[in-house]
Amino acid sequence: MKQSQPTSWGAIKIGFVFSAGIALLSFIIWPASLSFTIFAINAQIIIFLFGIIGALIGTFLSRTRQGAWFGSGIMILLLGLWLYMIAFNTPLD
């Protein structure tokens, strides 16, 4: 079965769907974040942006839909690791 190359709009939709799933899981895992409205909105916007950018990069590099999914996932994973390292190295003075 021949797989067609996704368009940029298709990659954006894949990144948006993946990011929405991650955002929903973050609210399920950490429901207290719903009370921090400003933080939660900013964090979700960043997750959506990183997911969409990752999907576009994955599509550009692999030219497949599977690459868009992997690109989005890797980019969000890198975002999480980066934020964890910032929080881990910040002193609690």
Side-chain angles (χ1 to χ4, degrees):
M1 181 196 250
K2 185 178 179 185
Q3 185 175 13
S4 63
Q5 178 181 350
T7 61
S8 295
W9 181 244
I12 289 172
K13 289 192 285 187
I14 288 172
F16 188 77
V17 167
F18 190 82
S19 300
I22 295 296
L24 183 65
L25 284 175
S26 70
F27 283 134
I28 290 171
I29 292 171
W30 189 37
S33 65
L34 288 171
S35 62
F36 300 111
T37 307
I38 294 172
F39 173 75
I41 290 172
N42 290 337
Q44 298 312 315
I45 289 171
I46 296 299
I47 288 174
F48 282 119
L49 289 176
F50 270 71
I52 290 169
I53 290 169
L56 287 170
I57 291 171
T59 301
F60 177 73
L61 292 177
S62 71
R63 309 274 189 227
T64 62
R65 286 191 181 108
Q66 187 177 12
W69 286 102
F70 282 134
S72 182
I74 289 171
M75 195 72 151
I76 290 176
L77 178 68
L78 289 175
L79 171 68
L81 290 174
W82 178 56
L83 292 175
Y84 176 76
M85 291 306 295
I86 289 172
F88 184 71
N89 292 323
T90 303
L92 297 175
D93 293 347

